[in-house]
Amino acid sequence: MAEVSPFKRFDPAILSSVEVFWRDHYNFLKEHGYTLRKRYEPGWVPSWLNTSVKPASCEDAQPICVRVESIYIARCTFVNAASVVQHYQVLDAIRADGSFVILKQVDINIHPDEIPTIKHFASDAFASHPQNHCIPVLEIIDPPEGSTIAFLVMPLLFDIDEPSFTTIGEAVAFCGQIFEGLHYLHQQNIIHGDCKHNNIMADSSGLCDFSPHPMNPIMRRDLTGRVSYSKSPTRKPVKYYLIDFGLSQIYHPEDALVLRYPPWGGDKTVPEHQDPDGPMCDPFAVDVYCLGNFFRQYFMDGWDGIPMDPPPGFDFMRELINDMVNTEPTKRPSMLEVVSRFDDIVKELGARRLRSPFLPDGKRHGLFQSVIYWSTQLARVARRIPAVPKL
């Protein structure tokens, strides 16, 4: 197979240069109990060749690069080419027990702290804590001989937009879980280091009748049809996770200074990072800013520079989020304060607000849709299903 740049015109019959990496590790990973998709099997021949079948309908035509910053793809037409590279580091696989997992490449020379941090997360006390929202790592595969690339094995998760929230209460549950998860990290003297939108994911597999395709999640895994979601997060609560700990760092109580030289992470708007030669800054305050900035864009102001309307109805978060993104780091609340204030805010929200529809991108319900929607909500009230889903 010829190797091509991932940003040249896509030919599904040719593996890109980054896909060749996975093909070359197919047998190594299979020996460890993980089988990659047919596309990455050595000697793969495209199933549609010499047939009238279109590649788009074939599972083995689905490349890694389909999955790019899907929060943008799903909700508008913007694609940031630089973001595509991030997803080349991960690929789905089937474990020996039949479960679907994700494999992530970790270069231990470039990210020497990631695996030690992950091992810390794997301790029973940390992993079993109800406030822990770090993606669990099922196994760490050491690098092959002569390589510096290790592999993390994790559950297969999906973007928080797959499917989208249906009520404001579902979105409130999401915010509460992620606030709680980052607070728990900070409580353990750990910074995440890269709290941005595509480093927060959902275990939403239980909401649909058929397993979604990892690289094309609107379709079933075998591409025989579209995925339909028979349940909502209100009926079957979803757990949300923080992922990607390549920039994380564990601090210790004896550390006199908990400071870090800027810049780092994917959010380029952090005030302390605007001067690359600036002084060391508080990484915990940077985490608070980055998470607040994500929520600001997603729920209230829309994405900077992208024409997309945020969902209405989240003004109740405005004061808290404004404080989280304060340009002065010392004036930002700690995550303990964020969790406490958010809980107080939610307690003041009425049932009607929490059960109101989540309508992003300027969508509106017509009369018929409104009747169906509110009939469903009344039925949930009668069945005492909480407006804010509880795990």
Short mmCIF file of all heavy atoms in Angstrom, two decimals, residues 249-270:
data_model
loop_
_atom_site.label_atom_id
_atom_site.label_comp_id
_atom_site.label_asym_id
_atom_site.label_seq_id
_atom_site.Cartn_x
_atom_site.Cartn_y
_atom_site.Cartn_z
N GLN A 249 -0.32 16.52 35.61
CA GLN A 249 0.82 16.48 36.53
C GLN A 249 0.31 16.29 37.94
O GLN A 249 -0.69 16.88 38.34
CB GLN A 249 1.65 17.77 36.43
CG GLN A 249 2.99 17.68 37.15
CD GLN A 249 3.92 18.80 36.75
OE1 GLN A 249 3.68 19.52 35.79
NE2 GLN A 249 5.00 18.96 37.50
N ILE A 250 1.00 15.42 38.68
CA ILE A 250 0.68 15.19 40.08
C ILE A 250 1.61 16.05 40.94
O ILE A 250 2.82 16.00 40.78
CB ILE A 250 0.85 13.71 40.44
CG1 ILE A 250 -0.05 12.82 39.58
CG2 ILE A 250 0.54 13.48 41.92
CD1 ILE A 250 0.17 11.34 39.78
N TYR A 251 1.02 16.84 41.80
CA TYR A 251 1.80 17.62 42.75
C TYR A 251 1.71 16.97 44.13
O TYR A 251 0.78 16.21 44.41
CB TYR A 251 1.29 19.06 42.80
CG TYR A 251 1.55 19.82 41.52
CD1 TYR A 251 0.61 19.80 40.49
CD2 TYR A 251 2.73 20.51 41.32
CE1 TYR A 251 0.85 20.47 39.29
CE2 TYR A 251 2.98 21.19 40.14
CZ TYR A 251 2.03 21.16 39.12
OH TYR A 251 2.27 21.82 37.94
N HIS A 252 2.66 17.26 44.97
CA HIS A 252 2.71 16.65 46.29
C HIS A 252 2.61 17.72 47.35
O HIS A 252 3.02 18.87 47.15
CB HIS A 252 4.00 15.84 46.45
CG HIS A 252 4.16 14.78 45.39
ND1 HIS A 252 3.46 13.60 45.41
CD2 HIS A 252 4.92 14.75 44.25
CE1 HIS A 252 3.77 12.88 44.36
NE2 HIS A 252 4.66 13.55 43.63
N PRO A 253 2.04 17.37 48.51
CA PRO A 253 1.86 18.39 49.56
C PRO A 253 3.15 19.11 49.93
O PRO A 253 3.11 20.28 50.33
CB PRO A 253 1.33 17.56 50.74
CG PRO A 253 0.68 16.37 50.11
CD PRO A 253 1.50 16.07 48.88
N GLU A 254 4.27 18.42 49.78
CA GLU A 254 5.54 19.06 50.16
C GLU A 254 6.05 20.04 49.10
O GLU A 254 7.05 20.74 49.33
CB GLU A 254 6.60 18.00 50.45
CG GLU A 254 6.97 17.11 49.26
CD GLU A 254 6.10 15.87 49.18
OE1 GLU A 254 5.01 15.85 49.78
OE2 GLU A 254 6.51 14.91 48.51
N ASP A 255 5.41 20.05 47.92
CA ASP A 255 5.83 20.99 46.88
C ASP A 255 5.53 22.42 47.33
O ASP A 255 4.37 22.79 47.55
CB ASP A 255 5.10 20.71 45.56
CG ASP A 255 5.52 19.39 44.95
OD1 ASP A 255 6.61 18.91 45.28
OD2 ASP A 255 4.76 18.84 44.12
N ALA A 256 6.57 23.22 47.48
CA ALA A 256 6.38 24.59 47.96
C ALA A 256 5.68 25.46 46.92
O ALA A 256 4.79 26.24 47.24
CB ALA A 256 7.74 25.20 48.33
N LEU A 257 6.07 25.30 45.65
CA LEU A 257 5.49 26.10 44.57
C LEU A 257 4.76 25.19 43.59
O LEU A 257 5.35 24.26 43.06
CB LEU A 257 6.58 26.87 43.83
CG LEU A 257 7.12 28.14 44.50
CD1 LEU A 257 8.24 28.72 43.66
CD2 LEU A 257 6.02 29.17 44.68
N VAL A 258 3.49 25.46 43.42
CA VAL A 258 2.72 24.72 42.42
C VAL A 258 2.51 25.66 41.24
O VAL A 258 1.46 26.25 41.05
CB VAL A 258 1.38 24.24 43.00
CG1 VAL A 258 0.60 23.43 41.96
CG2 VAL A 258 1.60 23.41 44.25
N LEU A 259 3.57 25.83 40.46
CA LEU A 259 3.55 26.74 39.33
C LEU A 259 4.12 26.05 38.11
O LEU A 259 4.85 25.05 38.21
CB LEU A 259 4.36 28.01 39.64
CG LEU A 259 3.85 28.87 40.80
CD1 LEU A 259 4.85 29.99 41.08
CD2 LEU A 259 2.48 29.44 40.50
N ARG A 260 3.80 26.59 36.94
CA ARG A 260 4.22 25.95 35.69
C ARG A 260 4.46 27.04 34.66
O ARG A 260 3.71 28.02 34.58
CB ARG A 260 3.11 25.00 35.23
CG ARG A 260 3.47 24.03 34.12
CD ARG A 260 2.30 23.07 33.95
NE ARG A 260 2.58 22.02 33.00
CZ ARG A 260 1.75 21.01 32.74
NH1 ARG A 260 0.58 20.95 33.36
NH2 ARG A 260 2.05 20.08 31.86
N TYR A 261 5.49 26.84 33.83
CA TYR A 261 5.77 27.81 32.78
C TYR A 261 4.76 27.67 31.65
O TYR A 261 4.47 26.55 31.20
CB TYR A 261 7.19 27.62 32.22
CG TYR A 261 8.27 28.22 33.11
CD1 TYR A 261 9.15 27.40 33.81
CD2 TYR A 261 8.41 29.60 33.22
CE1 TYR A 261 10.15 27.94 34.62
CE2 TYR A 261 9.40 30.16 34.03
CZ TYR A 261 10.26 29.32 34.72
OH TYR A 261 11.23 29.86 35.54
N PRO A 262 4.19 28.80 31.16
CA PRO A 262 3.27 28.73 30.02
C PRO A 262 4.07 28.64 28.72
O PRO A 262 5.28 28.91 28.72
CB PRO A 262 2.53 30.07 30.13
CG PRO A 262 3.54 31.01 30.75
CD PRO A 262 4.35 30.16 31.69
N PRO A 263 3.36 28.29 27.61
CA PRO A 263 1.96 27.87 27.55
C PRO A 263 1.86 26.34 27.49
O PRO A 263 2.86 25.66 27.28
CB PRO A 263 1.51 28.49 26.23
CG PRO A 263 2.73 28.40 25.35
CD PRO A 263 3.91 28.58 26.27
N TRP A 264 0.66 25.82 27.65
CA TRP A 264 0.39 24.40 27.43
C TRP A 264 -1.10 24.24 27.13
O TRP A 264 -1.90 25.14 27.37
CB TRP A 264 0.78 23.58 28.67
CG TRP A 264 -0.07 23.82 29.88
CD1 TRP A 264 -1.27 23.25 30.19
CD2 TRP A 264 0.20 24.73 30.95
NE1 TRP A 264 -1.75 23.73 31.38
CE2 TRP A 264 -0.87 24.64 31.88
CE3 TRP A 264 1.26 25.61 31.24
CZ2 TRP A 264 -0.93 25.39 33.05
CZ3 TRP A 264 1.19 26.36 32.42
CH2 TRP A 264 0.12 26.25 33.30
N GLY A 265 -1.46 23.09 26.59
CA GLY A 265 -2.88 22.78 26.35
C GLY A 265 -3.42 23.35 25.05
O GLY A 265 -2.78 24.13 24.35
N GLY A 266 -4.65 22.93 24.74
CA GLY A 266 -5.27 23.28 23.46
C GLY A 266 -6.05 24.58 23.46
O GLY A 266 -6.37 25.11 22.40
N ASP A 267 -6.39 25.11 24.62
CA ASP A 267 -7.11 26.38 24.69
C ASP A 267 -6.09 27.51 24.60
O ASP A 267 -5.33 27.75 25.54
CB ASP A 267 -7.91 26.47 25.99
CG ASP A 267 -8.85 27.68 26.03
OD1 ASP A 267 -8.56 28.69 25.34
OD2 ASP A 267 -9.84 27.63 26.77
N LYS A 268 -6.12 28.21 23.48
CA LYS A 268 -5.12 29.26 23.22
C LYS A 268 -5.57 30.62 23.73
O LYS A 268 -4.91 31.64 23.46
CB LYS A 268 -4.83 29.35 21.71
CG LYS A 268 -4.41 28.02 21.09
CD LYS A 268 -3.25 27.37 21.82
CE LYS A 268 -2.84 26.05 21.18
NZ LYS A 268 -1.79 25.34 21.98
N THR A 269 -6.69 30.66 24.47
CA THR A 269 -7.18 31.95 24.97
C THR A 269 -6.83 32.19 26.43
O THR A 269 -7.20 33.23 26.99
CB THR A 269 -8.71 32.05 24.82
OG1 THR A 269 -9.35 31.11 25.72
CG2 THR A 269 -9.14 31.74 23.39
N VAL A 270 -6.14 31.24 27.09
CA VAL A 270 -5.82 31.39 28.51
C VAL A 270 -5.04 32.70 28.71
O VAL A 270 -3.98 32.89 28.09
CB VAL A 270 -4.98 30.20 29.02
CG1 VAL A 270 -4.62 30.39 30.49
CG2 VAL A 270 -5.73 28.89 28.81
#
